[in-house]
Amino acid sequence: MSTHKPSFGFGKLSEIQPEPTPHASPMAQEIDRVAEKLGFQSREVPIRRKRRVAVEEPTDQLNLRASIADINRFVEWCERERMSYREGFGRLVAKIDQA
């Protein structure tokens, strides 16, 4: 019995390497700088940053229907207090026992 495994034509897969990522050339950087100076808007898709805060306690999701006025008031309050909706909800729930 032979110990040689057939390759099925995939023997050279390990030779495949990713192409290097092209970096903006100095000329392209200069063009971008001049275009920005002249007020042209970039058509490149902006990268959206997401603020990630690790939560130690178990979480779940709650979906509810509420009036737009109440939702807007809640969102504005959270923005004013610089807190997430989760933190704002927690503060409101803490007020239940104080009433």
Side-chain angles (χ1 to χ4, degrees), residues 67-80:
S67 72
I68 293 175
D70 289 342
I71 292 171
N72 288 342
R73 188 171 174 205
F74 176 74
V75 169
E76 289 168 3
W77 175 65
C78 288
E79 288 177 355
R80 199 170 46 250

Side-chain angles (χ1 to χ4, degrees), residues 22-35:
H23 296 287
S25 69
M27 178 64 107
Q29 291 174 349
E30 178 67 14
I31 291 169
D32 288 343
R33 188 186 65 74
V34 170

Side-chain angles (χ1 to χ4, degrees), residues 7-78:
S7 71
F8 299 106
F10 298 115
K12 296 185 178 186
L13 285 177
S14 63
E15 296 175 11
I16 298 173
Q17 297 296 321
E19 298 210 7
T21 306
H23 296 287
S25 69
M27 178 64 107
Q29 291 174 349
E30 178 67 14
I31 291 169
D32 288 343
R33 188 186 65 74
V34 170
E36 185 177 324
K37 186 177 178 181
L38 293 173
F40 284 93
Q41 297 289 326
S42 173
R43 289 194 274 172
E44 295 177 5
V45 177
I47 297 172
R48 183 173 186 264
R49 285 185 346 135
K50 292 185 179 181
R51 182 176 155 218
R52 300 283 181 189
V53 178
V55 178
E56 298 295 323
E57 61 189 335
T59 61
D60 200 356
Q61 184 170 336
L62 172 69
N63 296 310
L64 64 120
R65 294 180 61 88
S67 72
I68 293 175
D70 289 342
I71 292 171
N72 288 342
R73 188 171 174 205
F74 176 74
V75 169
E76 289 168 3
W77 175 65
C78 288

Side-chain angles (χ1 to χ4, degrees), residues 57 74 77 83 85-99:
E57 61 189 335
F74 176 74
W77 175 65
M83 64 184 157
Y85 299 157
R86 181 184 54 80
E87 293 167 323
F89 182 77
R91 282 178 56 183
L92 293 176
V93 169
K95 300 254 183 213
I96 292 172
D97 295 331
Q98 295 175 359

